[in-house]
Amino acid sequence: MLAYTMQRLIVALSVAFTVSVVAFFLLHLSGDIAISIAGPESTPAQVEQIRHQFGLDRPLVVQYLDWLWKAVHFDFGNSFYFRDTVVSLIASRIGVTLTLGAISLLLSLVVAVPLGVLAAVYNGTIIDRLALSFSVIGQAIPTFCLGLGLIIVFSVTLRWLPVSGASTWKHFILPSIALGWYAVPAVMRLSRNGMLEVLSADYIRTARAKGVAPAVVIFKHALRNAIIPVVALAAVQFGFMLGGSIVIEAVFSMHGLGYLAWEAIARNDFPVVQAVVLILATIYVGLTFLADVANAFLDPRIRLA
Amino acid sequence: MALLDVQDLVIDIPTAGGVLHAVSEVSFTVERGETLAIVGESGSGKSLTSLAIMDLLPRVAQRRATRLNFDGADLLTIPARQMRKLRGSRMAMIFQEPMTSLNPAYTIGNQLTEALRCHDDVGAEAARARAIELLERVGIAGAERRLLQYPHQLSGGLRQRVMIAMALMCKPDLIIADEPTTALDVTIQAQILRLLAELKKELNMAMILITHDLGVVARVADKVAVMYAGAVVERGSARAVFKAPSHPYTRGLLNCIPVPGRTAPGAPLGAIRGQVPNLIGRLAGCAFRNRCDFAAPECAGEMHFETPTPGHDVRCVRLAAQKAVA
């Protein structure tokens, strides 16, 4: 178990490192940072001065190592636009995004897993077909469309919930549904297929031959085995949700990391963009690692290998 | 009264190409403490027959019978809940595939005690004690340590022993062993069979042993039912069937087995010519007739059992003619 965890940890760290390289170099490829800081009115001399002042005239590798060294010490420099340190900007925004992501993931799992189990248990019946149609429709609706649709129905027409912002729990309901919806079809299909496969396994027949109650067969013997791939998928989906939160936070005007990234990209605020990309990627890598560890707990064949 | 009484069991499976008559009019009885061997090749319907008794058939399969009684209970009309109470406690099953028949996610101890605790109101400690007792009885050393292990940490032979222990947890009256040794090494096979025979005697259980291995049958069975293409073609006491195998199929099967000392070295082994018939669609007459040396026009007609000696039934209308040829 320890060897497995260490191995997964090393993989996670390598991925995080790769992401940091990509995040850094891609941004430097996207334009001359000195010119964007200096502004369109500046003279070549001013641009050169800024280039020197921000250390942008050093070799890229040196700049990268300098940035990485500061990044691991939680120093991402100052925002060009917000007149604040990047760290304090992120600290003030990350709560909204993580809350939104967590609620969305929970919501999608609570809907998708039981639906998948139901579809598998009643395989081939009308319940199965309804669940599958639901997932096809779900997959076909873009997140922002659903978000706008929810606003029109529940905020504008029915006036039950607020249109935008993130100040109370009520503000999180619609964005969570819109964002969580995105993960439902994939998780549901995987739960359904996993359950179908497991339900036809020999050990399920053994459990039934023992006289175990049907509910125990489904939830204890089948779901425990079928859920293993779902855990890994849930981590990946959560990563996509963090990415999708850029859209949803913009639609609902929630001042989270996604909204910050959108603002920073629009204003060429490189330090902020770099930091947000790195942090979102690190959260994603961290979740994948946690999913690996969770799977080891669920599957003794991994844990005791 | 017989412990298990099966009369005219039929299992149909609807398929895209028509109805598959997997089992047709199978009848047999099993007395307390008796071992019935059901013999046949793959696809002869012997496993489905055992699953039908346990009510574990796949959902698509349709089961019919004129009688299916277990210790006086009518299994055809019994409510599902009552049937579940019988399963695992009064009648238990050992499956063919020890490698895949245990749940990979739970310990041996969890799966063993579950068999007892879902039927009897016993505490965790008592169930654990019973599990240890049975693991020791089926010849597993270090039983207490094994309880904490997972299936993937055990060999196939050990897993099959665990399956046997699991089947015995509630002291069943009937145990159905569906090819319990097929997936195991030859040396382990002999051990498992000996163990099953000992346990059966010790606990006075009835046993249905499903196998394609006639050598196994000769060693452990009291009664034999030979199945071919979903029907019983010959049944009787093991002694009678082995002494005077009367259905051409049974004789064909016995000819396929090399006997040390009797089969000449280098001589070709016996084989039954032809193929098992397709069981889809309406079947009439003897299903073996296209492979049979004694086939005649009347073999396409109505089939019935002949009784050459009391307690020995053969589903062949050409019994007299066979004798004349032989």
Side-chain angles (χ1 to χ4, degrees):
Chain A
M1 181 67 191
L2 190 67
Y4 171 80
T5 311
M6 290 313 292
Q7 183 205 335
R8 300 318 300 174
L9 194 61
I10 290 168
V11 170
L13 287 176
S14 329
V15 173
F17 173 73
T18 311
V19 168
S20 76
V21 173
V22 172
F24 183 85
F25 286 96
L26 271 186
L27 275 176
H28 278 262
L29 283 177
S30 68
D32 190 328
I33 300 175
I35 294 178
S36 9
I37 301 171
E41 310 285 302
S42 54
T43 63
Q46 284 171 314
V47 172
E48 276 316 304
Q49 197 214 331
I50 282 175
R51 200 187 297 284
H52 184 71
Q53 185 191 332
F54 283 85
L56 296 169
D57 50 356
R58 296 172 299 166
L60 265 186
V61 176
V62 175
Q63 290 187 50
Y64 167 73
L65 290 175
D66 182 42
W67 173 72
L68 186 67
W69 179 252
K70 286 180 176 157
V72 295
H73 293 88
F74 294 103
D75 175 10
F76 291 96
N78 294 314
S79 160
F80 296 157
Y81 174 76
F82 290 100
R83 308 284 162 224
D84 198 354
T85 64
V86 174
V87 169
S88 71
L89 269 176
I90 287 173
S92 67
R93 304 289 190 97
I94 198 166
V96 168
T97 300
L98 289 184
T99 311
L100 178 61
I103 298 176
S104 305
L105 185 69
L106 207 67
L107 210 61
S108 62
L109 289 180
V110 163
V111 172
V113 173
L115 206 59
V117 171
L118 212 62
V121 171
Y122 295 98
N123 176 30
T125 67
I126 185 80
I127 297 175
D128 187 19
R129 253 164 256 160
L130 279 177
L132 281 177
S133 331
F134 179 72
S135 94
V136 170
I137 294 168
Q139 216 139 31
I141 300 177
T143 314
F144 69 91
C145 269
L146 182 68
L148 293 172
L150 288 172
I151 290 176
I152 291 169
V153 174
F154 292 98
S155 306
V156 177
T157 310
L158 295 171
R159 295 183 177 279
W160 288 350
L161 294 162
V163 175
S164 63
S167 42
T168 69
W169 62 270
K170 280 185 177 174
H171 289 89
F172 281 91
I173 296 176
L174 293 185
S176 299
I177 293 173
L179 194 55
W181 177 271
Y182 171 81
V184 168
V187 174
M188 191 227 112
R189 277 162 179 276
L190 196 65
S191 312
R192 176 181 174 272
N193 290 352
M195 279 298 280
L196 276 181
E197 197 178 303
V198 168
L199 282 174
S200 65
D202 288 344
Y203 56 80
I204 294 302
R205 193 179 54 185
T206 306
R208 292 177 61 211
K210 275 196 271 188
V212 171
V216 179
V217 171
I218 291 169
F219 291 104
K220 177 184 169 186
H221 288 276
L223 188 57
R224 169 76 179 264
N225 286 288
I227 204 79
I228 290 168
V230 176
V231 172
L233 180 74
V236 176
Q237 293 292 331
F238 191 79
F240 283 136
M241 281 179 185
L242 291 178
S245 68
I246 295 180
V247 175
I248 286 298
E249 285 176 17
V251 169
F252 289 91
S253 302
M254 304 174 85
H255 288 249
L257 270 192
Y259 198 73
L260 179 66
W262 178 68
E263 287 173 300
I265 291 167
R267 296 183 173 101
N268 275 338
D269 197 344
F270 288 99
V272 175
V273 176
Q274 274 176 340
V276 170
V277 168
L278 186 68
I279 283 174
L280 288 184
T282 307
I283 292 173
Y284 181 44
V285 169
L287 280 168
T288 319
F289 168 72
L290 284 182
D292 285 339
V293 174
N295 270 346
F297 272 102
L298 287 170
D299 189 346
R301 284 166 298 182
I302 299 175
R303 192 185 339 140
L304 304 171
Chain B
M1 189 181 58
L3 177 66
L4 179 71
D5 186 353
V6 180
Q7 286 298 319
D8 301 326
L9 175 70
V10 174
I11 301 171
D12 287 342
I13 301 174
T15 66
V19 176
L20 174 74
H21 300 284
V23 170
S24 43
E25 293 171 25
V26 163
S27 303
F28 55 79
T29 60
V30 183
E31 306 290 335
R32 276 175 197 282
E34 186 177 67
T35 299
L36 165 73
I38 301 181
V39 192
E41 58 198 287
S42 309
S44 61
K46 54 195 196 304
S47 289
L48 282 175
T49 301
S50 64
L51 291 176
I53 297 165
M54 296 284 288
D55 195 19
L56 289 175
L57 285 172
R59 228 184 317 177
V60 289
Q62 294 159 357
R63 177 186 76 175
R64 290 195 310 277
T66 52
R67 192 159 64 236
L68 187 56
N69 283 357
F70 175 77
D71 198 18
D74 182 357
L75 301 188
L76 293 169
T77 56
I78 196 170
R81 184 177 286 268
Q82 297 295 323
M83 185 64 213
R84 210 179 75 223
K85 283 186 182 155
L86 290 180
R87 263 204 310 263
S89 71
R90 305 281 319 276
M91 51 168 87
M93 194 153 176
I94 301 164
F95 293 99
Q96 188 172 354
E97 288 296 337
M99 303 309 280
T100 52
S101 290
L102 288 165
N103 193 324
Y106 295 98
T107 58
I108 301 301
N110 182 320
Q111 297 184 61
L112 276 173
T113 51
E114 183 184 42
L116 186 58
R117 299 191 72 188
C118 70
H119 292 292
D120 299 342
D121 187 20
V122 295
E125 213 26 66
R128 206 180 90 91
R130 171 91 178 134
I132 291 174
E133 177 195 331
L134 278 172
L135 283 184
E136 279 167 357
R137 181 61 199 89
V138 299
I140 294 182
E144 283 191 48
R145 188 169 49 88
R146 296 291 183 194
L147 289 184
L148 299 174
Q149 291 190 312
Y150 288 89
H152 76 274
Q153 296 171 303
L154 307 184
S155 68
L158 277 183
R159 288 188 213 187
Q160 196 59 302
R161 286 172 196 267
V162 170
M163 290 298 292
I164 293 172
M166 190 153 47
L168 297 177
M169 283 298 280
C170 295
K171 300 184 181 138
D173 300 306
L174 171 68
I175 193 154
I176 301 176
D178 184 1
E179 307 220 20
T181 60
T182 306
L184 304 174
D185 293 341
V186 180
T187 47
I188 312 288
Q189 285 186 8
Q191 292 172 13
I192 296 283
L193 282 174
R194 199 174 313 129
L195 175 65
L196 276 174
E198 277 171 27
L199 287 167
K200 193 215 87 173
K201 196 169 285 176
E202 197 176 298
L203 305 170
N204 194 30
M205 293 183 299
M207 180 155 78
I208 297 178
L209 182 67
I210 293 167
T211 180
H212 59 253
D213 186 340
L214 284 166
V216 168
V217 178
R219 262 185 291 166
V220 299
D222 302 309
K223 281 198 311 205
V224 181
V226 180
M227 284 185 75
Y228 180 77
V232 171
V233 293
E234 183 161 1
R235 67 179 174 226
S237 71
R239 184 186 297 267
V241 172
F242 279 102
K243 193 174 162 207
S246 303
H247 196 281
Y249 177 66
T250 314
R251 279 208 305 276
L253 279 184
L254 285 167
N255 278 337
C256 298
I257 306 172
V259 183
R262 222 187 303 160
T263 310
L269 287 178
I272 303 174
R273 65 185 167 85
Q275 295 283 316
V276 181
N278 185 351
L279 296 179
I280 291 178
R282 226 187 103 71
L283 299 172
C286 175
F288 190 64
R289 64 179 187 275
N290 58 348
R291 304 174 77 179
C292 181
D293 293 334
F294 304 99
E298 68 244 50
C299 294
E302 192 76 8
M303 281 291 117
H304 59 267
F305 278 100
E306 299 276 345
T307 306
T309 55
H312 182 185
D313 305 315
V314 185
R315 194 168 185 257
C316 181
V317 292
R318 297 271 295 157
L319 210 54
Q322 275 190 54
K323 286 224 175 78
V325 174

